Amino acid sequence: MMREGPSSALGQLQQRFGADLIVTDPAQLAVVSVDHRQLYRGQALALALPRTVEDVSALLALCNALRIAVVPQGGNTSYCGGATPDASGQQLVISLRRLNRIRSVEPENDSLVAEAGCILADVQRAAEEAGRFFPLSLGSEGSCQIGGNLSTNAGGLNVLRYGMTRDLVLGLEVVLADGRVLSTLSRLRKDNTGYDLKHVFIGAEGTLGVITAASLKLFPPPAFAATALVAVQSVDAAIELLMQVKHDSAGQVSSFELIPRSALELVQQYVEAAEIPLALESDWYVLIEITSSQAAYRITEILEQGLSRAMEQAWITDAVIAQSERERQNLWYLREHIPEAQRRRGESLKHDVSISIDRLAAFLRQAADWVAQNVPEAHLICYGHAGDGNLHFNLSQAPGSATGALLAQQDRVKRAIHDLVQSFDGSFSAEHGIGQLKVTELERYSSPLELELMRQIKRGFDPNHILNPGKVLNV
Ligand code: 2HG
Ligand code: ZN
């Protein structure tokens, strides 16, 4: 282990916590210093691997006293560089991967308490073993950590039915900038005692405190699923279909994913074992899933009837309903591999936007027209969680366009798309957060009063500005 002089920041960390907790191995630092999309390459001072909440508390107390900047990192799957240190070599990355216990499961209260370093799939599994369901579900669930999901208020595939991560939380344990531990691991669903402090930390991306554990809501398991891939006439028709199926199923639609033909073609081209069960003759498709915990509730029939009525209305032109769990998994495989297919295609520009559902189709038309007229280097791959209004308005490098040509357009494209989103009263950051990628966007699109209040909160919780500097807000 590299040793520093005892008076340097690193030296003091090493002296106090030892080589087990403070890692300086260059190979490990290299891994935590680059983000998932490889947009940012930083240089961590060291990697802290606390084993307990007391370790996190002591680490933050010392960092606060020495003014060492701290970058909390979960599974390092951020799309916005939210967990990547800067290049100064002065920021300490804290990974909570060793705090990975499910502390308790309370099936009768439909809740469990998980530590921040638990992999999301392990939280889902713990719920399942107790005969319950934890609905947060995202493509990276095999590697992202619940602490990161909470810190970014992650969205994912089931928001339409169960809400964002924020909606799934009963209580939190958080270490504050000065090392004090705020423990509100409540199991209560009703609790109006003053300000609800947990919500300040959820979505704050580690800039206000380090979440170490959470008390989470569980639900009855959706033992029965009806899942279909449907070719729709247009995005307007897809929205009509959504309204109808939501109504017919009495709100049991858990996912409604809009997928363009361009995305399925990419998956077909770049992803192994991709089986697309419909002819690619339509511009737009949707993946619908209705779930229920009761067999008696005939969701497959509801879906079939809904689709045949939609066919009569000419909203849809073709559909396939999964006849087995394997077929269902195959439909989800296609959807979940779109980001990977896009990555393999080459450079991309991503816009994680949300628009109210009644205006979604109009937004998409205008935004797509703008791209067609103004960005010849781009191939539009716009897909997403249309059921909750979230679109990944992504551009991939068009076949034959030179490397770097699309990326060179980044600022111009971002401005046009985000300004359009603003004119539709939408959000430029629906589910991926701000990180370092969208700090200037937050500044541009928030009102002066919102920014003032956010800065006051930041100063109040982190007066020495040690928590994830450069993320979310320019202070
Ligand atoms: C998804 O919905 C993720 O698959 C990633 O949020 C979106 O790659 C993207 O832009
Ligand atoms: Zn998404």
Side-chain angles (χ1 to χ4, degrees), residues 170-355:
L170 296 171
L172 284 186
E173 178 186 82
V174 187
V175 180
L176 303 182
D178 61 8
R180 283 178 297 169
V181 180
L182 176 70
S183 186
T184 57
L185 283 174
S186 164
R187 295 172 184 182
L188 307 176
R189 279 172 169 73
K190 297 185 96 168
D191 180 10
N192 278 346
T193 43
Y195 303 141
D196 198 338
L197 293 172
K198 64 178 176 290
H199 287 301
V200 170
F201 301 99
I202 301 170
E205 303 186 34
T207 61
L208 301 178
V210 177
I211 297 172
T212 48
S215 170
L216 301 168
K217 290 183 197 169
L218 304 181
F219 295 81
F224 303 92
T227 312
L229 183 65
V230 182
V232 289
Q233 274 296 1
S234 62
V235 176
D236 295 276
I239 303 299
E240 297 284 2
L241 178 65
L242 170 67
M243 297 303 125
Q244 187 200 288
V245 186
K246 261 164 73 169
H247 179 266
D248 292 352
S249 68
Q252 311 232 54
V253 183
S254 41
S255 302
F256 191 91
E257 298 286 311
L258 183 69
I259 307 175
R261 181 175 59 208
S262 57
L264 290 175
E265 283 168 351
L266 274 196
V267 170
Q268 198 167 42
Q269 191 176 348
Y270 292 102
V271 177
E272 248 172 68
E275 290 167 34
I276 300 175
L278 291 180
L280 291 183
E281 286 166 354
S282 177
D283 285 344
W284 294 100
Y285 294 79
V286 288
L287 177 55
I288 309 176
E289 185 158 277
I290 308 180
T291 55
S292 167
S293 39
Q294 293 167 21
Y297 195 77
R298 302 148 89 90
I299 44 177
T300 308
E301 258 169 58
I302 289 172
L303 186 57
E304 276 166 6
Q305 283 164 11
L307 292 178
S308 61
R309 288 221 310 276
M311 190 81 83
E312 282 159 25
Q313 301 276 353
W315 294 337
I316 73 173
T317 53
D318 199 1
V320 56
I321 299 183
Q323 300 299 325
S324 64
E325 181 56 20
R326 202 199 78 80
E327 287 184 17
R328 172 177 172 261
Q329 293 295 343
N330 177 52
L331 295 183
W332 278 110
Y333 181 84
L334 300 175
R335 163 61 184 89
E336 289 184 347
H337 280 79
I338 298 172
E340 189 185 323
Q342 238 206 316
R343 196 163 38 246
R344 294 200 186 163
R345 159 54 72 82
E347 292 166 352
S348 62
L349 301 179
K350 292 179 184 270
H351 309 87
D352 169 37
V353 308
S354 64
I355 305 287

Side-chain angles (χ1 to χ4, degrees), residues 79 335 339 350 383 385 392 394 431-432:
Y79 268 74
R335 163 61 184 89
K350 292 179 184 270
Y383 61 97
H385 322 289
H392 299 303
N394 293 349
E431 64 167 3
H432 294 166

Side-chain angles (χ1 to χ4, degrees), residues 420-458:
L420 187 64
V421 167
Q422 165 101 333
S423 75
F424 274 82
D425 297 323
S427 166
F428 69 88
S429 173
E431 64 167 3
H432 294 166
I434 302 295
Q436 40 191 314
L437 184 65
K438 297 181 189 167
V439 174
T440 49
E441 301 302 279
L442 185 76
E443 207 149 306
R444 180 182 171 98
Y445 295 110
S446 306
S447 69
L449 183 55
E450 283 171 316
L451 284 172
E452 184 189 319
L453 293 174
M454 285 193 237
R455 290 197 170 111
Q456 275 175 19
I457 291 172
K458 172 69 178 169

Side-chain angles (χ1 to χ4, degrees), residues 12-77:
Q12 295 205 44
L13 284 165
Q14 288 174 317
Q15 195 167 35
R16 170 76 196 276
F17 296 103
D20 178 45
L21 259 60
I22 303 294
V23 174
T24 54
D25 165 34
Q28 292 194 57
L29 297 195
V31 172
V32 299
S33 297
V34 59
D35 72 304
H36 169 71
R37 290 179 63 197
Q38 311 211 341
L39 296 176
Y40 301 99
R41 250 166 230 288
Q43 174 61 58
L45 170 70
L47 167 64
L49 292 174
R51 290 185 180 278
T52 61
V53 179
E54 291 70 32
D55 288 344
V56 180
S57 162
L59 272 164
L60 286 192
L62 186 64
C63 288
N64 197 39
L66 300 178
R67 308 289 191 262
I68 300 171
V70 164
V71 180
Q73 190 175 95
N76 200 9
T77 57

